[in-house]
Amino acid sequence: MRCNIGGSSGRPNNTETATVRAGDELGFGIGSTFGHPGIQQVYLSRAPDLPDSPNTSLSPAMEYDGSGGWARIYSLTTTPTWPNGTGSMGKNSFAEAQPGAVDWATHKLTSFLFVLPPETPEGEYLLRAEGMAVHAAHKPGGAQFYVACAQIRVVNERQDRSSELGPLVKIPGVYRGDEPGVLLPQFWSGLQRYTTPGPALWPPGTEEQHVAKYL
C-alpha cells in the first residue's frame, strides 16, 4: 500500500535519487493506461537524515521506508463532461455512464504532471503516486489502489518561503475503507457527485485538479 512490492527501501534495487527544485513540474508514467474510472493523487514524505557514515553512496531517500508522515500535494479527480468524452462538452468518456454521471479526468492517461510545491523545504523525500480505481468501489474493499514511489532530493533557493508539510498521515492508515470516495454509495456509472478521500491538500490553498496535464 505504501510504495508497492519491494518498495520498503531503494537499496536492493539501487534506485537513484533525482535532484529537483521546489516549484518544478514533475510527473509519473503509467504502466499501460488509466483505463478504469477513478482518481490520481500524490503524497510526499520527508526522509530522516542518516547518521554519519563513510558510505557516501547512500542517500536518506534510498534508505527510507516511508514509515513517517505523508502530506497530500496533488489530486486529480472528476472533470466536466465534454461532448466527445474527456476533452470537449455533453458526452461522458465512458459509454457505460448514465446521463448526469460524473466523468473522470484520469481517463486513458498514460502519464500525468504536477507541480512540486514551491514551499517544499530542502531535503530528501519519497514521492508517492496513488491511482485509485472505483469501478468496484460500491462494495466494501472494492476500491483498487495502484501505487509507486520515487526518490527525490529537493533544492529550494527560497528557503524563506518554505513551510512544514501537513497535515501528515500514515500509510497504511490514511484510509479506513468506509469513507466517502473509497466506498461509493452506488455503482460508479450512475454516480452524480464524488467526494475525494484523504487529508487536506498541502500547502493550504492547493486546489483539486479537474483537467490533467500530461506528456
Side-chain angles (χ1 to χ4, degrees), residues 21-185:
R21 286 182 170 81
D24 278 356
E25 188 172 67
L26 307 180
F28 281 89
I30 297 172
S32 54
T33 183
F34 205 121
H36 294 302
I39 65 173
Q40 182 68 60
Q41 306 205 90
V42 176
Y43 286 80
L44 185 67
S45 183
R46 178 81 176 261
D49 294 334
L50 294 176
D52 292 336
S53 169
N55 188 347
T56 57
S57 67
L58 299 180
S59 78
M62 178 187 286
E63 295 294 294
Y64 182 40
D65 65 359
S67 57
W70 294 81
R72 186 169 67 114
I73 64 169
Y74 173 79
S75 183
L76 177 68
T77 61
T78 57
T79 191
T81 298
W82 309 106
N84 301 314
T86 304
S88 342
M89 222 165 182
K91 179 182 177 183
N92 197 289
S93 299
F94 290 87
E96 311 95 306
Q98 299 174 16
V102 298
D103 205 347
W104 303 91
T106 55
H107 185 56
K108 291 188 177 180
L109 286 181
T110 57
S111 64
F112 64 96
L113 302 172
F114 58 94
V115 173
L116 180 68
E119 296 89 342
T120 306
E122 289 193 341
E124 295 200 8
Y125 296 82
L126 289 182
L127 187 66
R128 175 180 179 270
E130 176 192 277
M132 187 179 74
V134 300
H135 57 289
H138 59 292
K139 300 179 290 186
Q144 296 180 5
F145 292 89
Y146 301 87
V147 301
C149 292
Q151 300 163 191
I152 60 172
R153 180 181 300 108
V154 177
V155 176
N156 191 334
E157 297 169 352
R158 293 296 306 272
Q159 280 293 93
D160 58 314
R161 291 187 179 180
S162 68
S163 63
E164 291 302 311
L165 281 65
L168 300 178
V169 295
K170 296 287 188 175
I171 300 176
V174 57
Y175 308 124
R176 299 186 311 273
D178 62 351
E179 63 265 72
V182 177
L183 181 63
L184 301 185

